[in-house]
């Protein structure tokens, strides 16, 4: 994993380890405080965050169909239900004693942690397929079965904690049942492994742009240390606030940060999709209207008799207008994710096809450019190819895009008639060269033109 993607997870591990070490090694810190109200507030907050993130992940699953999203949603839903939801249900059924009221939430958390671990080990692009419906019902089915089993075994379940709440929280004096301690240990290991797996998943190139996945690593690191604290200091008493409760709430706070970033990312994507759709609509209107009309004018101009120079000027004007209109169609209707080489190839091909010229390309797809640079390079490519065919009187143009170290280069080359560069620059009609130079300068690059009568022309842009 990269350093930048692993920093949040490392901070989560460091925080959990520091808090646990401070409680174990400092006699001035207590592992528990008597605060019923604060305990209830934190339980409510944890449940709300778990259900919110589960809902967001279920929404992601409906868009992506990824098994990872569905397993995560199920796991967090079960962790959320294991809090106030199960406590309320058990109280309604009269099972909220030291047996039924303990083992069902503990078992539910173990299953939730196992689902989180399974999600962390599942490849992000693997679809859920036919398992989607059973997995959606898994949390509710598990809780229902758990309630029935708890009801049937309510008199034979062992006590989770054999002692009453501590009179003093100075030293850990509560001895938990081996099953309880084992459940805490299993949950802690599941969260710890999931934290590492999610940190690896969030590395660049493997989901690094997924903000929610990026924050799962530190969240489950804190959750693992919370369960470790419950293992060291078993807690089942709602009147007492334990260190594990604080670490658990910290893990849900980190999850809430990830949820906020996920919501912002979703609405940003929605806005971008709306803008792109509107751009495509405008592109269709331009293509079906302006481009078609300009094409018709050009065809009709070819039938004009009389002054040949006048006809050539009209044709040149039509060609420039067509280039402008098609450039606008491409800019509006195309996605910015296309490779630069592909975009330049398409622009050059449109001009070459108009004059029945052949185009040779040699493109390095690793060469990239931002949106403004793309626009300038497309315009330079169109102008250079058009000049080579119309003024250089060639039927073959070569287009090359490559890099030399950190420097990138676009080359348009022909073996046409060529021209006297100094003479063209001194002529008022040399606006095309000036335009290409200005566009090259706008991308913080340089334009170099090598040409002479009878030996073709090479136009090179470096940036």
């Amino acid at each position: 994993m990269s350093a930048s993607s692993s920093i949040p997870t490392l901070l989560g591990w460091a925080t959990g380890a520091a808090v646990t070490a401070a409680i174990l090694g400092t006699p001035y810190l207590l592992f528990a405080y008597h605060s019923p109200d604060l305990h209830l507030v934190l339980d409510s907050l944890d449940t709300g965050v778990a259900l919110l993130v589960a809902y967001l992940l279920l929404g992601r699953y409906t868009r992506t169909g990824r098994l990872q999203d569905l397993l995560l949603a199920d796991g967090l839903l079960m962790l959320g239900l294991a809090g106030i939801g199960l406590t309320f249900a058990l109280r309604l059924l009269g099972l909220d004693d030291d047996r039924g009221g303990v083992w069902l939430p503990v078992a539910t958390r173990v299953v939730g942690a196992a689902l989180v671990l399974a999600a962390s080990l599942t490849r992000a692009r693997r679809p859920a397929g036919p398992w989607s419906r059973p997995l959606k019902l898994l949390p509710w089915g598990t809780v229902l079965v758990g309630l029935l089993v708890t009801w049937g075994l309510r008199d034979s379940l062992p006590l989770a904690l054999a002692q009453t709440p501590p009179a003093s929280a100075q030293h850990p004096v509560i001895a938990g049942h081996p099953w309880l301690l084992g459940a805490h240990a299993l949950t802690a290991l599941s969260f710890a492994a999931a934290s590492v797996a999610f940190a690896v998943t969030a590395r660049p190139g493997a989901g690094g742009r997924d903000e929610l996945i990026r924050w799962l690593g530190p969240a489950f690191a804190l959750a693992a240390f919370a369960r470790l604290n419950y293992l060291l200091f078993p807690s089942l008493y709602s009147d007492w606030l334990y260190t594990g409760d604080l670490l658990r709430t910290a893990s849900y706070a980190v999850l809430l940060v990830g949820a906020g970033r996920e919501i912002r990312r979703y609405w940003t994507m929605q806005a971008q999709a709306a803008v792109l759709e509107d751009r495509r609509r405008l592109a269709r209107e331009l293509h079906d209207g302006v481009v078609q009309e300009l094409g018709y004018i050009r065809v009709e101009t070819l039938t004009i008799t009389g002054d040949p120079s006048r006809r050539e000027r009209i044709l040149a004007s039509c060609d420039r207008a067509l280039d402008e209109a098609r450039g606008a169609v491409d800019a509006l209707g195309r996605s910015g994710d296309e490779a630069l080489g592909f975009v330049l190839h398409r622009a050059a091909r449109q001009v070459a096809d108009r004059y029945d010229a052949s185009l040779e390309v040699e493109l390095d797809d690793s060469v990239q450019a931002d949106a403004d640079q793309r626009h300038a390079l497309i315009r330079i490519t169109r102008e250079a190819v058009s000049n080579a065919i119309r003024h250089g009187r060639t039927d073959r143009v070569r287009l090359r895009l490559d890099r030399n170290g950190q420097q990138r280069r676009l080359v348009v080359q022909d073996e046409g008639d060529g021209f006297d560069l100094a003479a063209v620059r001194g002529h008022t009609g040399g606006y095309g060269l000036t335009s290409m130079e200005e566009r090259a300068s706008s991308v913080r690059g340089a334009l170099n033109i090598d040409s002479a009568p009878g030996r073709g022309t090479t136009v090179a842009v470096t940036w």
Side-chain angles (χ1 to χ4, degrees), residues 272-294:
Q272 290 174 346
V275 170
L276 183 58
E277 179 58 32
D278 199 41
R279 286 163 59 104
R280 286 174 174 165
R281 180 185 62 80
L282 290 174
R284 289 193 297 268
E285 294 295 331
L286 277 174
H287 180 270
D288 296 340
V290 176
V291 173
Q292 299 298 331
E293 291 299 322
L294 286 172

PDB file of all heavy atoms in Angstrom, residues 272-294:
ATOM      1  N   GLN A 272     -21.971  16.176 -12.031  1.00  0.00           N
ATOM      2  CA  GLN A 272     -21.150  15.979 -13.225  1.00  0.00           C
ATOM      3  C   GLN A 272     -21.928  15.236 -14.306  1.00  0.00           C
ATOM      4  O   GLN A 272     -21.807  15.563 -15.493  1.00  0.00           O
ATOM      5  CB  GLN A 272     -19.886  15.216 -12.856  1.00  0.00           C
ATOM      6  CG  GLN A 272     -18.908  16.013 -12.008  1.00  0.00           C
ATOM      7  CD  GLN A 272     -17.730  15.189 -11.544  1.00  0.00           C
ATOM      8  OE1 GLN A 272     -17.743  13.955 -11.621  1.00  0.00           O
ATOM      9  NE2 GLN A 272     -16.697  15.854 -11.042  1.00  0.00           N
ATOM     10  N   ALA A 273     -22.719  14.248 -13.898  1.00  0.00           N
ATOM     11  CA  ALA A 273     -23.521  13.505 -14.871  1.00  0.00           C
ATOM     12  C   ALA A 273     -24.553  14.414 -15.536  1.00  0.00           C
ATOM     13  O   ALA A 273     -24.798  14.320 -16.745  1.00  0.00           O
ATOM     14  CB  ALA A 273     -24.211  12.321 -14.193  1.00  0.00           C
ATOM     15  N   ALA A 274     -25.174  15.306 -14.743  1.00  0.00           N
ATOM     16  CA  ALA A 274     -26.157  16.230 -15.305  1.00  0.00           C
ATOM     17  C   ALA A 274     -25.501  17.194 -16.298  1.00  0.00           C
ATOM     18  O   ALA A 274     -26.051  17.468 -17.371  1.00  0.00           O
ATOM     19  CB  ALA A 274     -26.834  17.011 -14.184  1.00  0.00           C
ATOM     20  N   VAL A 275     -24.319  17.703 -15.931  1.00  0.00           N
ATOM     21  CA  VAL A 275     -23.607  18.614 -16.843  1.00  0.00           C
ATOM     22  C   VAL A 275     -23.221  17.898 -18.125  1.00  0.00           C
ATOM     23  O   VAL A 275     -23.379  18.436 -19.230  1.00  0.00           O
ATOM     24  CB  VAL A 275     -22.356  19.192 -16.138  1.00  0.00           C
ATOM     25  CG1 VAL A 275     -21.476  19.937 -17.133  1.00  0.00           C
ATOM     26  CG2 VAL A 275     -22.767  20.124 -15.011  1.00  0.00           C
ATOM     27  N   LEU A 276     -22.710  16.657 -17.992  1.00  0.00           N
ATOM     28  CA  LEU A 276     -22.306  15.906 -19.172  1.00  0.00           C
ATOM     29  C   LEU A 276     -23.490  15.617 -20.080  1.00  0.00           C
ATOM     30  O   LEU A 276     -23.374  15.700 -21.309  1.00  0.00           O
ATOM     31  CB  LEU A 276     -21.633  14.597 -18.735  1.00  0.00           C
ATOM     32  CG  LEU A 276     -21.084  13.713 -19.855  1.00  0.00           C
ATOM     33  CD1 LEU A 276     -20.054  14.473 -20.685  1.00  0.00           C
ATOM     34  CD2 LEU A 276     -20.477  12.440 -19.278  1.00  0.00           C
ATOM     35  N   GLU A 277     -24.626  15.282 -19.502  1.00  0.00           N
ATOM     36  CA  GLU A 277     -25.811  15.022 -20.313  1.00  0.00           C
ATOM     37  C   GLU A 277     -26.249  16.276 -21.059  1.00  0.00           C
ATOM     38  O   GLU A 277     -26.645  16.216 -22.235  1.00  0.00           O
ATOM     39  CB  GLU A 277     -26.943  14.497 -19.426  1.00  0.00           C
ATOM     40  CG  GLU A 277     -28.241  14.214 -20.173  1.00  0.00           C
ATOM     41  CD  GLU A 277     -28.057  13.203 -21.297  1.00  0.00           C
ATOM     42  OE1 GLU A 277     -27.199  12.309 -21.162  1.00  0.00           O
ATOM     43  OE2 GLU A 277     -28.771  13.320 -22.312  1.00  0.00           O
ATOM     44  N   ASP A 278     -26.188  17.428 -20.405  1.00  0.00           N
ATOM     45  CA  ASP A 278     -26.556  18.682 -21.061  1.00  0.00           C
ATOM     46  C   ASP A 278     -25.564  19.010 -22.179  1.00  0.00           C
ATOM     47  O   ASP A 278     -25.954  19.479 -23.254  1.00  0.00           O
ATOM     48  CB  ASP A 278     -26.587  19.810 -20.041  1.00  0.00           C
ATOM     49  CG  ASP A 278     -27.384  21.005 -20.528  1.00  0.00           C
ATOM     50  OD1 ASP A 278     -28.458  20.793 -21.133  1.00  0.00           O
ATOM     51  OD2 ASP A 278     -26.931  22.145 -20.328  1.00  0.00           O
ATOM     52  N   ARG A 279     -24.289  18.749 -21.940  1.00  0.00           N
ATOM     53  CA  ARG A 279     -23.279  18.985 -22.977  1.00  0.00           C
ATOM     54  C   ARG A 279     -23.529  18.086 -24.178  1.00  0.00           C
ATOM     55  O   ARG A 279     -23.391  18.512 -25.334  1.00  0.00           O
ATOM     56  CB  ARG A 279     -21.884  18.743 -22.402  1.00  0.00           C
ATOM     57  CG  ARG A 279     -21.399  19.835 -21.459  1.00  0.00           C
ATOM     58  CD  ARG A 279     -20.239  19.344 -20.622  1.00  0.00           C
ATOM     59  NE  ARG A 279     -19.115  18.924 -21.444  1.00  0.00           N
ATOM     60  CZ  ARG A 279     -18.009  19.642 -21.612  1.00  0.00           C
ATOM     61  NH1 ARG A 279     -17.883  20.803 -21.012  1.00  0.00           N
ATOM     62  NH2 ARG A 279     -17.027  19.188 -22.364  1.00  0.00           N
ATOM     63  N   ARG A 280     -23.891  16.854 -23.931  1.00  0.00           N
ATOM     64  CA  ARG A 280     -24.166  15.936 -25.042  1.00  0.00           C
ATOM     65  C   ARG A 280     -25.400  16.372 -25.827  1.00  0.00           C
ATOM     66  O   ARG A 280     -25.451  16.212 -27.051  1.00  0.00           O
ATOM     67  CB  ARG A 280     -24.346  14.517 -24.488  1.00  0.00           C
ATOM     68  CG  ARG A 280     -23.028  13.877 -24.069  1.00  0.00           C
ATOM     69  CD  ARG A 280     -23.234  12.547 -23.389  1.00  0.00           C
ATOM     70  NE  ARG A 280     -21.958  11.884 -23.112  1.00  0.00           N
ATOM     71  CZ  ARG A 280     -21.797  10.864 -22.301  1.00  0.00           C
ATOM     72  NH1 ARG A 280     -22.863  10.370 -21.658  1.00  0.00           N
ATOM     73  NH2 ARG A 280     -20.618  10.329 -22.113  1.00  0.00           N
ATOM     74  N   ARG A 281     -26.374  16.894 -25.109  1.00  0.00           N
ATOM     75  CA  ARG A 281     -27.562  17.392 -25.819  1.00  0.00           C
ATOM     76  C   ARG A 281     -27.191  18.546 -26.739  1.00  0.00           C
ATOM     77  O   ARG A 281     -27.620  18.596 -27.902  1.00  0.00           O
ATOM     78  CB  ARG A 281     -28.621  17.840 -24.798  1.00  0.00           C
ATOM     79  CG  ARG A 281     -29.902  18.369 -25.436  1.00  0.00           C
ATOM     80  CD  ARG A 281     -30.839  18.896 -24.377  1.00  0.00           C
ATOM     81  NE  ARG A 281     -30.256  20.013 -23.650  1.00  0.00           N
ATOM     82  CZ  ARG A 281     -30.242  21.268 -24.131  1.00  0.00           C
ATOM     83  NH1 ARG A 281     -30.752  21.540 -25.317  1.00  0.00           N
ATOM     84  NH2 ARG A 281     -29.703  22.232 -23.407  1.00  0.00           N
ATOM     85  N   LEU A 282     -26.375  19.485 -26.243  1.00  0.00           N
ATOM     86  CA  LEU A 282     -25.938  20.603 -27.078  1.00  0.00           C
ATOM     87  C   LEU A 282     -25.095  20.104 -28.251  1.00  0.00           C
ATOM     88  O   LEU A 282     -25.189  20.640 -29.370  1.00  0.00           O
ATOM     89  CB  LEU A 282     -25.126  21.590 -26.237  1.00  0.00           C
ATOM     90  CG  LEU A 282     -25.904  22.388 -25.189  1.00  0.00           C
ATOM     91  CD1 LEU A 282     -24.948  23.205 -24.337  1.00  0.00           C
ATOM     92  CD2 LEU A 282     -26.932  23.300 -25.858  1.00  0.00           C
ATOM     93  N   ALA A 283     -24.270  19.079 -28.013  1.00  0.00           N
ATOM     94  CA  ALA A 283     -23.457  18.520 -29.094  1.00  0.00           C
ATOM     95  C   ALA A 283     -24.334  17.935 -30.190  1.00  0.00           C
ATOM     96  O   ALA A 283     -24.061  18.104 -31.388  1.00  0.00           O
ATOM     97  CB  ALA A 283     -22.513  17.457 -28.539  1.00  0.00           C
ATOM     98  N   ARG A 284     -25.411  17.238 -29.798  1.00  0.00           N
ATOM     99  CA  ARG A 284     -26.321  16.679 -30.804  1.00  0.00           C
ATOM    100  C   ARG A 284     -26.992  17.783 -31.603  1.00  0.00           C
ATOM    101  O   ARG A 284     -27.163  17.670 -32.828  1.00  0.00           O
ATOM    102  CB  ARG A 284     -27.373  15.801 -30.110  1.00  0.00           C
ATOM    103  CG  ARG A 284     -26.828  14.499 -29.559  1.00  0.00           C
ATOM    104  CD  ARG A 284     -27.960  13.557 -29.182  1.00  0.00           C
ATOM    105  NE  ARG A 284     -28.795  14.109 -28.115  1.00  0.00           N
ATOM    106  CZ  ARG A 284     -28.596  13.895 -26.838  1.00  0.00           C
ATOM    107  NH1 ARG A 284     -27.568  13.144 -26.437  1.00  0.00           N
ATOM    108  NH2 ARG A 284     -29.400  14.403 -25.925  1.00  0.00           N
ATOM    109  N   GLU A 285     -27.378  18.858 -30.912  1.00  0.00           N
ATOM    110  CA  GLU A 285     -28.014  19.970 -31.614  1.00  0.00           C
ATOM    111  C   GLU A 285     -27.056  20.610 -32.624  1.00  0.00           C
ATOM    112  O   GLU A 285     -27.440  20.923 -33.748  1.00  0.00           O
ATOM    113  CB  GLU A 285     -28.485  21.023 -30.595  1.00  0.00           C
ATOM    114  CG  GLU A 285     -29.591  20.547 -29.662  1.00  0.00           C
ATOM    115  CD  GLU A 285     -30.886  20.258 -30.402  1.00  0.00           C
ATOM    116  OE1 GLU A 285     -31.131  20.901 -31.445  1.00  0.00           O
ATOM    117  OE2 GLU A 285     -31.626  19.363 -29.952  1.00  0.00           O
ATOM    118  N   LEU A 286     -25.796  20.797 -32.208  1.00  0.00           N
ATOM    119  CA  LEU A 286     -24.809  21.367 -33.131  1.00  0.00           C
ATOM    120  C   LEU A 286     -24.573  20.449 -34.325  1.00  0.00           C
ATOM    121  O   LEU A 286     -24.500  20.895 -35.467  1.00  0.00           O
ATOM    122  CB  LEU A 286     -23.486  21.605 -32.397  1.00  0.00           C
ATOM    123  CG  LEU A 286     -23.356  22.892 -31.592  1.00  0.00           C
ATOM    124  CD1 LEU A 286     -22.051  22.880 -30.812  1.00  0.00           C
ATOM    125  CD2 LEU A 286     -23.408  24.106 -32.506  1.00  0.00           C
ATOM    126  N   HIS A 287     -24.447  19.154 -34.037  1.00  0.00           N
ATOM    127  CA  HIS A 287     -24.161  18.220 -35.116  1.00  0.00           C
ATOM    128  C   HIS A 287     -25.313  18.143 -36.111  1.00  0.00           C
ATOM    129  O   HIS A 287     -25.099  18.110 -37.336  1.00  0.00           O
ATOM    130  CB  HIS A 287     -23.876  16.829 -34.539  1.00  0.00           C
ATOM    131  CG  HIS A 287     -23.568  15.786 -35.565  1.00  0.00           C
ATOM    132  ND1 HIS A 287     -24.537  15.015 -36.151  1.00  0.00           N
ATOM    133  CD2 HIS A 287     -22.388  15.414 -36.124  1.00  0.00           C
ATOM    134  CE1 HIS A 287     -23.985  14.205 -37.031  1.00  0.00           C
ATOM    135  NE2 HIS A 287     -22.677  14.419 -37.028  1.00  0.00           N
ATOM    136  N   ASP A 288     -26.527  18.090 -35.607  1.00  0.00           N
ATOM    137  CA  ASP A 288     -27.679  17.954 -36.496  1.00  0.00           C
ATOM    138  C   ASP A 288     -28.070  19.267 -37.159  1.00  0.00           C
ATOM    139  O   ASP A 288     -28.827  19.253 -38.130  1.00  0.00           O
ATOM    140  CB  ASP A 288     -28.880  17.403 -35.704  1.00  0.00           C
ATOM    141  CG  ASP A 288     -28.621  15.998 -35.174  1.00  0.00           C
ATOM    142  OD1 ASP A 288     -27.715  15.338 -35.723  1.00  0.00           O
ATOM    143  OD2 ASP A 288     -29.307  15.590 -34.233  1.00  0.00           O
ATOM    144  N   GLY A 289     -27.579  20.395 -36.634  1.00  0.00           N
ATOM    145  CA  GLY A 289     -27.945  21.692 -37.206  1.00  0.00           C
ATOM    146  C   GLY A 289     -26.804  22.371 -37.927  1.00  0.00           C
ATOM    147  O   GLY A 289     -26.690  22.303 -39.156  1.00  0.00           O
ATOM    148  N   VAL A 290     -25.906  22.992 -37.175  1.00  0.00           N
ATOM    149  CA  VAL A 290     -24.838  23.805 -37.758  1.00  0.00           C
ATOM    150  C   VAL A 290     -23.925  22.986 -38.647  1.00  0.00           C
ATOM    151  O   VAL A 290     -23.603  23.393 -39.770  1.00  0.00           O
ATOM    152  CB  VAL A 290     -24.026  24.489 -36.636  1.00  0.00           C
ATOM    153  CG1 VAL A 290     -22.854  25.262 -37.228  1.00  0.00           C
ATOM    154  CG2 VAL A 290     -24.921  25.418 -35.824  1.00  0.00           C
ATOM    155  N   VAL A 291     -23.469  21.820 -38.183  1.00  0.00           N
ATOM    156  CA  VAL A 291     -22.526  21.027 -38.969  1.00  0.00           C
ATOM    157  C   VAL A 291     -23.152  20.582 -40.281  1.00  0.00           C
ATOM    158  O   VAL A 291     -22.511  20.631 -41.345  1.00  0.00           O
ATOM    159  CB  VAL A 291     -22.045  19.806 -38.151  1.00  0.00           C
ATOM    160  CG1 VAL A 291     -21.194  18.874 -39.006  1.00  0.00           C
ATOM    161  CG2 VAL A 291     -21.250  20.263 -36.942  1.00  0.00           C
ATOM    162  N   GLN A 292     -24.401  20.146 -40.244  1.00  0.00           N
ATOM    163  CA  GLN A 292     -25.072  19.707 -41.470  1.00  0.00           C
ATOM    164  C   GLN A 292     -25.231  20.850 -42.466  1.00  0.00           C
ATOM    165  O   GLN A 292     -25.021  20.681 -43.682  1.00  0.00           O
ATOM    166  CB  GLN A 292     -26.434  19.091 -41.124  1.00  0.00           C
ATOM    167  CG  GLN A 292     -26.378  17.867 -40.223  1.00  0.00           C
ATOM    168  CD  GLN A 292     -25.630  16.714 -40.871  1.00  0.00           C
ATOM    169  OE1 GLN A 292     -25.617  16.582 -42.087  1.00  0.00           O
ATOM    170  NE2 GLN A 292     -24.985  15.891 -40.055  1.00  0.00           N
ATOM    171  N   GLU A 293     -25.588  22.020 -41.947  1.00  0.00           N
ATOM    172  CA  GLU A 293     -25.762  23.174 -42.845  1.00  0.00           C
ATOM    173  C   GLU A 293     -24.432  23.609 -43.456  1.00  0.00           C
ATOM    174  O   GLU A 293     -24.352  23.943 -44.646  1.00  0.00           O
ATOM    175  CB  GLU A 293     -26.390  24.340 -42.077  1.00  0.00           C
ATOM    176  CG  GLU A 293     -27.832  24.107 -41.660  1.00  0.00           C
ATOM    177  CD  GLU A 293     -28.734  23.888 -42.860  1.00  0.00           C
ATOM    178  OE1 GLU A 293     -28.529  24.569 -43.905  1.00  0.00           O
ATOM    179  OE2 GLU A 293     -29.638  23.035 -42.782  1.00  0.00           O
ATOM    180  N   LEU A 294     -23.378  23.613 -42.681  1.00  0.00           N
ATOM    181  CA  LEU A 294     -22.068  23.974 -43.218  1.00  0.00           C
ATOM    182  C   LEU A 294     -21.609  22.966 -44.258  1.00  0.00           C
ATOM    183  O   LEU A 294     -20.997  23.330 -45.275  1.00  0.00           O
ATOM    184  CB  LEU A 294     -21.044  24.059 -42.078  1.00  0.00           C
ATOM    185  CG  LEU A 294     -21.153  25.276 -41.163  1.00  0.00           C
ATOM    186  CD1 LEU A 294     -20.212  25.135 -39.980  1.00  0.00           C
ATOM    187  CD2 LEU A 294     -20.849  26.554 -41.924  1.00  0.00           C
TER     188      LEU A 294
END
